[in-house]
Amino acid sequence: MTRRILVVHAHPDPTSFSHGLFDLVIRVCGEVGNEIRVHDLYESGFSPVVSANEWSLRGAAPSTKPHLASYFDDVAWCDTLVFVYPTWWSGQPAVLKAWIDRVLANGVAWNLDETTGQVMPTLRNVTRIVVVTTHGRSKSANLLCGRAGRTVVVRSIRRLCSWRCRTHWLALYSVDRSTRFERDRFKQRVERILRRIS
Amino acid sequence: MTALVVFTHPKPDRFARELLDVTVAGLSAAGHDVDVIDLYRDNFDAAMSPGEWRAYTTAEAPTSADQQAYARLLARAEVLAFVFPMWWSGPPSMLKGFFDRALVPGVAFRLADNGRVSPGLRHIRRVVVVTAAEPPGHFPQRSTRQLSHSFGRSLRRATGWRTRTLVCWAGPGETSNSEKRQRFLARTRDRLAGVR
């Protein structure tokens, strides 16, 4: 089955390991005839903050934010979300957090039920979420700190998607001290999982 | 004694202002001189630039003016407080940018030659998190609350293992009901007045 894959990437340095993972994801996903769209947030100069204007429009229709229209379209189009980023301070880099804050907006990812005040998810098209990330610290240190970035994806974003959406968390821990062998093995793992789901 | 309050809100409404005011009032009552950083008013650039990333990996001290100004404020703080709304069970990207860009090697921690990390902000004895679930009732609230707790834990890399964290968390009940909100604000002020 061919999939419609949206890859979201945030890393300032195009020569970094994280960017290498991004290139790998693009290559593997493209091989088997999937459709891919890419949001390389640093390359496109995505604004890292929710502006005061956007905040006052948080309850308004997506058409009031024409500068984000192409991002909204891609999110509504895809059936697989792939995030590739380095974990900093146990969360997403600010630019990627801004993508989550700004693009997963009212009318795109959720609607508000007027009577109950609850969020009604609208990203029913998304059935897979894949996260490819690197942690500077060990897995045990991350567990101790509560894995804040993971909570944002597997609880908050997952909740907006299809009820049968599956999440795949592919993380390389202690990347600063990792050997070349470990990094290559991680790349193979990413490749294997992506082949399996696509 | 000095407390540093980092405030984040794109367009502070009445409740956001009140949260900041009770935080400042509570910490003043505890005998602190309070510095306030308003990230949106400072027009802080939340995105780490490629040059800053290279400086981070080579553990050079920060060079841009805003990083240095914040580093000076951090250097004299003994209490570090964050006031912000929770979005998608995480801090707003602006505040995340403060972590990424202001808490860098040479300020928040030092890297030794053998790769070990030692805290650079040991003088910060208390971390305070004042946050409100926003918009009310939207998201899994239990994980949101856990997250505000985990905030202080990951900061211990910068502040040392003895730093204690105080979390004042307004749930959807408090944010939507004005009577509960007033009670929450009064309780927050009292709790912060005990932060020494």
Side-chain angles (χ1 to χ4, degrees), chain A residues 29-182:
Chain A
C29 291
E31 269 175 11
V32 277
N34 298 312
E35 293 175 63
I36 307 186
R37 292 188 190 176
V38 174
H39 293 175
D40 187 343
L41 300 179
Y42 268 95
E43 200 191 68
S44 60
F46 192 76
S47 166
V49 292
V50 177
S51 66
N53 182 40
E54 279 172 10
W55 172 250
S56 43
L57 291 172
R58 67 192 183 281
S63 57
T64 55
K65 290 171 258 191
H67 56 295
L68 291 172
S70 67
Y71 292 94
F72 294 156
D73 286 348
D74 292 349
V75 169
W77 162 86
C78 71
D79 63 11
T80 304
L81 268 173
V82 184
F83 295 101
V84 187
Y85 64 91
T87 294
W88 294 340
W89 284 104
S90 66
Q92 286 81 13
V95 180
L96 181 55
K97 187 62 180 36
W99 186 91
I100 294 167
D101 291 346
R102 298 174 72 206
V103 177
L104 301 183
N106 180 26
V108 180
W110 49 274
N111 283 315
L112 202 59
D113 187 323
E114 295 294 338
T115 49
T116 60
Q118 289 297 308
V119 161
M120 307 305 285
T122 53
L123 282 184
R124 296 300 192 202
N125 48 314
V126 178
T127 54
R128 297 270 181 176
I129 300 175
V130 184
V131 176
V132 181
T133 187
T134 55
H135 298 262
R137 306 176 77 182
S138 65
K139 187 169 186 178
S140 53
N142 274 282
L143 286 170
L144 201 66
C145 292
R147 297 201 283 187
R150 195 169 192 272
T151 309
V152 172
V153 176
V154 304
R155 293 203 186 244
S156 290
I157 300 180
R158 162 70 181 78
R159 190 176 171 276
L160 303 172
C161 302
S162 165
W163 60 271
R164 58 197 169 89
C165 177
R166 289 187 58 191
T167 51
H168 300 265
W169 189 265
L170 306 173
L172 178 62
Y173 294 94
S174 306
V175 68
D176 300 340
R177 277 177 283 156
S178 63
T179 59
R180 187 174 184 149
F181 173 73
E182 286 165 332

Side-chain angles (χ1 to χ4, degrees), chain B residues 10-89:
Chain B
K11 199 174 180 183
D13 49 10
R14 186 152 156 248
F15 185 43
R17 280 270 162 237
E18 283 172 337
L19 282 178
L20 177 63
D21 291 345
V22 294
T23 307
V24 172
L27 291 171
S28 306
H32 298 285
D33 300 323
V34 182
D35 294 324
V36 178
I37 294 177
D38 184 336
L39 293 173
Y40 269 94
R41 203 173 49 203
D42 290 0
N43 229 339
F44 182 66
D45 181 7
M48 185 189 266
S49 70
E52 285 163 1
W53 163 252
R54 278 188 286 276
Y56 193 107
T57 49
T58 52
E60 286 166 37
T63 48
S64 52
D66 55 349
Q67 283 177 312
Q68 285 173 346
Y70 288 168
R72 278 194 291 278
L73 290 173
L74 283 163
R76 64 172 196 223
E78 284 174 65
V79 175
L80 181 58
F82 297 95
V83 184
F84 60 96
M86 272 278 181
W87 293 346
W88 299 110
S89 64

